[in-house]
Amino acid sequence: MSCIIISGMILHNTNVQVGNLFHFYRSTIITIYNGAFDSSAVVFLVIKLLHERGVSLHLIFLILTSCSIMPLLRTFFLMPRGHIPYPLPETYTYGVRCCQRGEEGNKVTEEIKEEDTKKNQNDQQGDGEKTGDESNQEEVATFWSCVMSWLFLWHLVWVVIILFCQFMFLSNVNAMLSRLANNDQTIVSHYTNAFAITQLCSVFFAPVNGLIMDRHKKRPLAPGETRQEADLRSSCLSLFLTSLQCVLFCVCFTCPVLPLQYFTFVLQVVNSSFFYGGHQAFVSIAFPMSHFGKMSGIAMSLSALGLILQVPILHLIQHQLHGNPLYVNIGLTLLSLLAFIHPIHVNLYCRKLAKQRPKKTQEVNEQLLSTG
């Protein structure tokens, strides 16, 4: 249903936290949601083809409106009033029963703290100790401290760069195809339809990124390692692959070879599916779930401000470069290289945490011995 709802960004952001219900496949579920949402672009192609065959736009939009009723009912009757906690307590419930209990959020918080306390007492170096540490981090970390952290700032740069490259391609794809096809509208229409059809494949590529981020879930944690640290370390490969795809995508887009644009379309769809899913999954991993909507929203809002630069750049291409975007594309390719800073920074951050781990474990053991 997310694939059908064209203008459901807010609905998407509020429903993507369903991934918290699936511990071992949390990032996979998040990326599936993002892939379905990203593939919703193919709905425009369906509308175009139906309208060309005589179906009225009035009937088409009535069908789309009726399809939107199901996700709305699901949101009201299945989703909880607050955010879905992570890690999920064993006694956590959701649905109609959840809506009937006004203090569900407080009960869930207490359950998490009680379970963490019991696990800390039973297993000093087990998973419970890590969960307790994460719970404390969520209590301490405020919204503004998360926004001003280097993790979020470099992630914001990563989001802005990849989104800017994506939208510059979308702004120039039709003009680029016309120029390479010598204004042959039959060829341009063929490549445009091929590009539109490839958009549907995003829902198939996106879960691959989720599986990459969840590949460590069933492995035991290292002594003293927190669940958040393990998730961050696993996300480095996803962030690196997304940055690499962006660079390759820009290189192919820069090459003025018409048949090569088939590969450009594929890379664009793969990069888009990896990006949106990776962005949502990283925010849910690196920052408390209570700030998920705000952190994700502020990243997309600030990146939208960066997209305003499209206007002067498109003006430059049309008037100063006489419609040839070669130099602009070369600049975008060089700009895309900066996206590698984010996975490198996350990797260095995880190494720093790993070096501090023995010291923290020793301090915890000393506290337990003193209290015992």
Side-chain angles (χ1 to χ4, degrees):
M1 299 308 296
S2 178
C3 187
I4 295 176
I5 304 304
I6 301 175
S7 57
M9 175 60 79
I10 298 177
L11 185 67
H12 166 69
N13 282 337
T14 54
N15 281 263
V16 76
Q17 60 179 310
V18 169
N20 292 346
L21 299 175
F22 306 89
H23 172 64
F24 293 112
Y25 302 101
R26 182 192 185 197
S27 297
T28 305
I29 298 298
I30 292 175
T31 53
I32 288 175
Y33 265 82
N34 282 272
F37 182 76
D38 196 28
S39 294
S40 64
V42 79
V43 176
F44 286 108
L45 176 62
V46 175
I47 293 175
K48 172 179 175 290
L49 296 176
L50 290 176
H51 186 58
E52 289 176 351
R53 284 159 176 76
V55 181
S56 66
L57 288 177
H58 180 72
L59 177 60
I60 292 174
F61 284 108
L62 279 178
I63 295 174
L64 286 176
T65 303
S66 62
C67 289
S68 66
I69 295 176
M70 181 177 176
L72 288 174
L73 293 176
R74 172 186 169 277
T75 302
F76 282 113
F77 293 103
L78 285 181
M79 298 293 288
R81 293 181 178 179
H83 69 278
I84 299 178
Y86 183 82
L88 200 69
E90 295 180 358
T91 57
Y92 183 79
T93 59
Y94 59 96
V96 179
R97 290 179 57 196
C98 176
C99 297
Q100 293 174 348
R101 291 184 290 179
E103 299 180 353
E104 179 69 22
N106 295 331
K107 291 182 179 180
V108 168
T109 303
E110 293 299 325
E111 289 170 356
I112 294 175
K113 292 181 179 179
E114 290 177 2
E115 289 185 8
D116 291 340
T117 302
K118 292 179 181 179
K119 291 180 180 178
N120 285 335
Q121 293 175 352
N122 295 333
D123 190 357
Q124 297 177 8
Q125 295 182 348
D127 185 55
E129 182 179 299
K130 287 76 182 179
T131 307
D133 292 341
E134 290 173 3
S135 178
N136 293 333
Q137 287 178 5
E138 287 196 4
E139 293 177 0
V140 173
T142 62
F143 171 66
W144 286 112
S145 65
C146 293
V147 171
M148 300 307 297
S149 65
W150 283 109
L151 270 181
F152 180 74
L153 293 177
W154 282 120
H155 181 69
L156 181 61
V157 172
W158 182 79
V159 169
V160 171
I161 290 174
I162 295 181
L163 268 184
F164 189 75
C165 294
Q166 288 277 339
F167 276 85
M168 282 301 300
F169 168 77
L170 295 176
S171 300
N172 287 289
V173 61
N174 192 60
M176 179 265 294
L177 292 175
S178 298
R179 183 171 50 84
L180 295 179
N182 296 322
N183 293 321
D184 188 334
Q185 293 305 311
T186 303
I187 298 177
V188 172
S189 178
H190 168 74
Y191 276 86
T192 302
N193 289 337
F195 174 63
I197 292 173
T198 56
Q199 299 303 304
L200 181 61
C201 299
S202 179
V203 71
F204 304 111
F205 290 122
V208 177
N209 190 25
L211 292 173
I212 291 174
M213 301 187 77
D214 285 333
R215 67 188 188 279
H216 70 291
K217 289 290 189 180
K218 296 184 179 181
R219 302 175 187 172
L221 298 176
E225 184 182 30
T226 64
R227 184 180 290 113
Q228 182 190 35
E229 183 182 346
D231 291 343
L232 276 176
R233 181 166 42 82
S234 182
S235 69
C236 292
L237 179 59
S238 169
L239 296 173
F240 175 80
L241 290 176
T242 307
S243 303
L244 180 63
Q245 292 162 5
C246 183
V247 174
L248 294 177
F249 155 67
C250 291
V251 170
C252 292
F253 181 38
T254 303
C255 297
V257 180
L258 187 58
L260 183 63
Q261 302 315 310
Y262 287 119
F263 189 54
T264 304
F265 299 158
V266 174
L267 282 175
Q268 188 273 332
V269 172
V270 174
N271 183 236
S272 178
S273 61
F274 267 62
F275 164 73
Y276 285 105
H279 159 61
Q280 298 274 8
F282 180 82
V283 172
S284 68
I285 289 171
F287 308 104
M289 279 305 301
S290 57
H291 302 323
F292 173 78
K294 292 173 286 188
M295 301 294 290
S296 178
I298 196 172
M300 299 304 292
S301 299
L302 293 177
S303 63
L305 293 177
L307 294 178
I308 298 177
L309 292 175
Q310 287 182 98
V311 178
I313 292 178
L314 291 175
H315 184 273
L316 174 67
I317 294 174
Q318 293 174 2
H319 295 87
Q320 303 298 325
L321 300 178
H322 307 290
N324 187 355
L326 178 62
Y327 295 110
V328 172
N329 291 340
I330 293 175
L332 286 176
T333 303
L334 296 177
L335 177 67
S336 65
L337 294 173
L338 297 178
F340 285 109
I341 297 178
H342 184 40
I344 293 174
H345 176 260
V346 174
N347 184 264
L348 294 176
Y349 178 77
C350 291
R351 290 187 179 185
K352 180 181 177 181
L353 292 179
K355 290 181 181 179
Q356 296 175 351
R357 197 185 305 155
K359 183 178 178 181
K360 290 183 178 180
T361 303
Q362 183 179 0
E363 292 177 354
V364 171
N365 291 335
E366 291 177 355
Q367 291 178 358
L368 291 174
L369 289 174
S370 61
T371 55

